[in-house]
């Protein structure tokens, strides 16, 4: 035994160190996975719902995101849906709908807001990108901390990754990693992958609530072509062109707010 220990001294030290590193990072990983983000309900929030209310198989899974309801839910008045956190590595894509959830009070219609649309992607950070787990923002009321996640669903919730991902309703071929990208999973699939199930829940919600407009908030790097842009399906052209004209006219020319970046289509 003594001889064995002496001969393999370096290997034993190396294995012990590897186990310590695995233990520390493992604890950190599990802790982050089950840490719930803290959002303060704004005065306009009238009810809370869950994505699983619209697609039962999500119940009890990590993907069962909260839905903040603002307004009357009167079916005779229009309803819109705001999605934040489709890509949890794009903080402003969550902060914009969060600010609305905390501040708007409606006099008419209903606004539904999901802040962690791909909740599984808030449970880890992408390997080798050295991104933080949390980031904080200083406010007049103190520092606020938010989770920073990954672009795709956690591999724990969806495995394996194919070499090529074939989008199920269009047949479009995409890179394998996009099988875990919620933004490539619509309109979803009820017996599909985890990510397709989340997309299915959102589509069920849109249909059941008769949502007239869904806005999905994202963030892009400065050099990215679709910065400060509204991207829309061509069928939604008649809504989007007047909306963009009004936003640009009011904010830039009427109000003359120089902080405003003109929005492109
Ligand atoms: Zn995005």
């Amino acid at each position: 035994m003594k001889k064995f220990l002496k001969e393999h001294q370096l290997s034993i030290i190396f294995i012990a160190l590897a186990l310590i590193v695995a233990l520390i990072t493992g604890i950190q990983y599990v802790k982050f996975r089950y840490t719930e983000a803290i959002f303060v309900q704004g005065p306009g929030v009238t009810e809370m719902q869950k994505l699983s209310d619209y697609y039962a198989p999500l119940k009890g899974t990590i993907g069962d995101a909260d839905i903040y309801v603002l307004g009357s839910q009167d079916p005779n008045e229009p309803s819109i849906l705001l999605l934040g956190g489709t890509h949890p590595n794009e903080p402003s894509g969550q902060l914009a709908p969060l600010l609305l959830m905390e501040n708007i009070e409606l006099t008419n219609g209903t606004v539904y807001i999901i802040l962690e649309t791909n909740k599984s992607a808030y449970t880890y950070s992408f390997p080798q990108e050295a991104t933080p787990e949390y980031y904080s923002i200083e406010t007049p009321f103190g520092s606020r901390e938010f989770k920073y996640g990954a672009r795709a669903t956690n591999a724990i919730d969806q495995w394996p990754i194919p070499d090529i991902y074939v989008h199920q309703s269009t047949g479009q071929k995409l890179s394998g990693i996009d099988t875990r990208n919620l933004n490539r999973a619509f309109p979803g699939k009820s017996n599909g992958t985890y990510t397709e199930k989340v997309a299915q829940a959102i589509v069920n919600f849109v249909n059941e609530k008769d949502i007239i407009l869904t806005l999905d908030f994202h963030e892009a790097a400065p050099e990215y072509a679709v910065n400060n842009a509204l991207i829309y399906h061509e069928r939604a052209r008649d809504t989007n062109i007047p909306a963009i004209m009004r936003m640009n006219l009011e904010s830039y020319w009427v109000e003359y707010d120089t902080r405003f970046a003109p929005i492109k289509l």
Side-chain angles (χ1 to χ4, degrees):
M1 186 66 181
K2 223 174 183 181
K3 191 173 164 233
F4 177 85
L5 287 176
K6 204 169 182 186
E7 273 176 12
H8 298 89
Q9 208 173 16
L10 262 180
S11 310
I12 291 163
I13 291 170
F14 183 78
I15 290 168
L17 279 175
L19 283 173
I20 291 167
V21 171
L23 186 73
I24 294 169
T25 53
I27 289 169
Q28 204 178 353
Y29 182 86
V30 171
K31 211 173 135 197
F32 187 69
R33 179 166 169 83
Y34 293 103
T35 301
E36 290 282 332
I38 300 164
F39 303 116
V40 183
Q41 279 184 31
V45 176
T46 48
E47 198 188 317
M48 294 286 289
Q49 297 180 356
K50 287 270 185 190
L51 260 188
S52 62
D53 299 339
Y54 301 88
Y55 184 63
L58 281 185
K59 202 170 178 68
T61 70
I62 208 126
D64 193 7
D66 291 326
I67 305 169
Y68 295 83
V69 184
L70 296 94
S72 62
Q73 295 193 78
D74 181 344
N76 300 313
E77 292 175 355
S79 297
I80 70 169
L81 171 65
L82 310 181
L83 300 175
T86 292
H87 289 149
N89 62 334
E90 298 168 5
S92 57
Q94 181 182 59
L95 294 174
L98 173 70
L99 279 173
L100 292 169
M101 185 275 282
E102 290 180 342
N103 291 287
I104 54 177
E105 284 183 75
L106 298 176
T107 52
N108 186 10
T110 310
V111 177
Y112 297 94
I113 302 178
I114 305 177
L115 296 173
E116 296 174 295
T117 305
N118 190 356
K119 216 176 163 190
S120 163
Y122 274 104
T123 60
Y124 77 113
S125 42
F126 214 71
Q128 300 177 350
E129 285 195 356
T131 52
E133 289 181 309
Y134 301 93
Y135 64 94
S136 55
I137 295 175
E138 297 305 321
T139 78
F141 312 102
S143 177
R144 292 182 65 176
E145 194 172 64
F146 300 95
K147 281 183 100 173
Y148 187 98
R151 183 174 169 83
T153 298
N154 193 330
I156 283 186
D157 302 310
Q158 186 176 328
W159 187 261
I161 303 165
D163 290 336
I164 295 168
Y165 163 53
V166 182
H167 181 253
Q168 41 87 26
S169 57
T170 59
Q172 189 183 3
K173 287 179 184 152
L174 298 158
S175 80
I177 186 74
D178 273 329
T179 190
R180 297 195 276 130
N181 180 353
L182 180 59
N183 208 25
R184 305 287 181 276
F186 289 100
K189 194 178 178 187
S190 54
N191 57 350
T193 62
Y194 163 90
T195 311
E196 285 170 332
K197 285 176 182 166
V198 174
Q200 178 72 59
I202 293 162
V203 169
N204 288 357
F205 179 84
V206 166
N207 290 332
E208 200 168 309
K209 295 290 183 188
D210 203 15
I211 300 290
I212 60 161
L213 178 72
T214 301
L215 288 169
D216 187 13
F217 289 81
H218 288 257
E219 175 181 314
E223 69 278 13
Y224 201 57
V226 291
N227 246 315
N228 298 324
L230 194 66
I231 303 163
Y232 63 97
H233 191 279
E234 58 186 17
R235 287 205 311 261
R237 193 177 48 198
D238 292 353
T239 313
N240 281 273
I241 292 174
I244 218 100
M245 286 172 76
R246 191 167 163 175
M247 278 162 74
N248 286 329
L249 280 168
E250 286 187 358
S251 301
Y252 192 64
W253 296 110
V254 181
E255 303 282 338
Y256 201 69
D257 186 344
T258 49
R259 294 167 302 173
F260 179 76
I263 305 290
K264 296 170 280 189
L265 275 176

